[in-house]
Amino acid sequence: MHFGDQLAHAIAKTGPLCVGLDPHSGRIPALFGEGLPGVEAFFMAVLDRLAGKASIIKPQIAFFERHGPDGLALMARLCAHAKTRKLLVLMDAKRGDIGSTASAYAAAYLGPNAWVWCDAITVNPYMGMDTLEPFLSVADDNDKGVIVLVRTSNPGAADFEDLMIEKNTLYQHIAQTLAPFARERKGPQSGWSSLMVVVGATAPHEAQRLRHILPHSPFLVPGYGAQGGSAKDAVIAARDGQGVVVNSSRGVLYPQNADQATTLKDWETLFDAALARTHKDIMRALEG
């Protein structure tokens, strides 16, 4: 199935919440064990709790990569398990390089022989369209998605992304360049494109401008919760309950007192409550 249609189906099923897999040191409850085995046990439990309650996850590769080959192998096992739980996997890797290197990255993550399962990958556009086209081509051939950084959620985003070039900002120029590529990749069922863009919840006014430029692109929205973006800000570019994927990592993974849980049942209760609270907050904003 076309990636845009898969994403629309997932949002219709359980809402736009995306749970980020960010294994922060010192935040995983001791009951799961220590080191990488503890990280794996924790996130396997997380994936099992998400099934039927959320449909999208976003592993942040840096948190696994810092543990070397063992960390990357762990992430691959988590992604494979997510697939069995029917979760869409958005790989947060922010790749971007010249054409031949981009082709290698695209094959590594989106190709039929990819080393890790994912449904889409984040990419950096700042070296030009020739660095994005290999990702788009491989994604097209394999019903995958490409997620392009446009207006990010970090405070320093304004340093470059808000720079004026002629009468528009840099992020607007990027969006305008992407628009025809997104339009060409609309899903036959939903009309949503397989070309997503990253637009932070900390930039709601920019999100509204970008929705006019990119009417067919789903927005991956970081910055909700811990970074200061509200649920209302996060879904401001939604259309009829669709078109946004709102990421929450710490707010779901590490609720208050969860690291003190001594039994699996206690942890499940705290985790489920945090998941339900986050889901309700986003859905209330989406419906309001």
Side-chain angles (χ1 to χ4, degrees):
M1 183 187 292
H2 183 279
F3 173 76
D5 293 339
Q6 292 183 61
L7 190 67
H9 177 74
I11 293 170
K13 182 180 177 183
T14 57
L17 173 62
C18 170
V19 177
L21 303 191
D22 300 358
H24 287 277
S25 298
R27 301 294 298 273
I28 294 174
L31 69 92
F32 289 101
E34 298 181 351
L36 287 180
V39 172
E40 183 164 10
F42 173 70
F43 279 107
M44 287 292 186
V46 166
L47 295 177
D48 289 340
R49 300 307 295 176
L50 292 181
K53 302 170 187 173
S55 299
I56 310 165
I57 63 167
K58 183 178 73 66
Q60 169 47 261
I61 194 171
F63 286 103
F64 297 93
E65 196 172 66
R66 68 180 178 180
H67 295 289
D70 290 342
L72 291 173
L74 187 163
M75 187 187 73
R77 291 194 295 274
L78 293 176
C79 292
H81 187 60
K83 183 182 180 183
T84 70
R85 305 300 281 176
K86 301 187 185 307
L87 298 166
L88 284 180
V89 179
L90 311 183
M91 182 62 66
D92 197 353
K94 298 183 179 69
R95 295 300 190 242
D97 213 317
I98 62 169
S100 59
T101 309
S103 294
Y105 277 136
Y109 287 92
L110 304 177
N113 298 310
W115 72 274
V116 61
W117 174 263
C118 65
D119 296 282
I121 184 174
T122 56
V123 296
N124 190 323
Y126 292 102
M127 289 177 66
M129 282 306 302
D130 63 327
T131 70
L132 300 184
E133 287 168 354
F135 288 98
L136 295 172
S137 177
V138 176
D140 291 346
D141 290 342
N142 294 280
D143 286 329
K144 299 296 181 81
V146 177
I147 312 167
V148 183
L149 302 180
V150 173
R151 183 53 172 85
T152 55
S153 59
N154 57 303
D159 293 347
F160 300 126
E161 294 168 5
D162 287 358
L163 289 175
M164 296 299 296
I165 303 173
E166 296 177 347
K167 295 182 179 180
N168 289 317
T169 61
L170 177 57
Y171 76 79
Q172 287 173 307
H173 279 284
I174 293 170
Q176 289 163 355
T177 301
L178 294 175
F181 292 89
R183 187 167 54 248
E184 293 168 358
R185 290 170 169 80
K186 291 191 297 181
Q189 298 176 19
S190 66
W192 287 104
S193 180
S194 58
L195 196 165
M196 295 182 70
V197 294
V198 174
V199 182
T202 52
H205 299 299
E206 291 86 341
Q208 289 177 305
R209 296 189 195 106
L210 287 166
R211 176 52 75 210
H212 290 296
I213 301 171
L214 293 164
H216 308 295
S217 285
F219 288 8
L220 174 59
V221 185
Y224 161 72
Q227 292 186 47
S230 69
K232 182 179 179 181
D233 293 338
V235 302
I236 199 166
R239 286 188 358 217
D240 300 322
Q242 287 281 349
V244 294
V245 174
V246 182
N247 185 72
S248 178
S249 300
R250 284 167 281 182
V252 173
L253 295 179
Y254 308 116
Q256 188 174 10
N257 299 323
D259 58 339
Q260 304 300 316
T262 56
T263 69
L264 184 60
K265 184 176 180 180
D266 287 344
W267 173 80
E268 288 175 345
T269 299
L270 291 167
F271 178 85
D272 288 353
L275 179 62
R277 185 166 55 248
T278 304
H279 181 270
K280 182 178 180 181
D281 188 39
I282 294 170
M283 292 304 295
R284 186 189 296 119
L286 195 64
E287 294 164 359

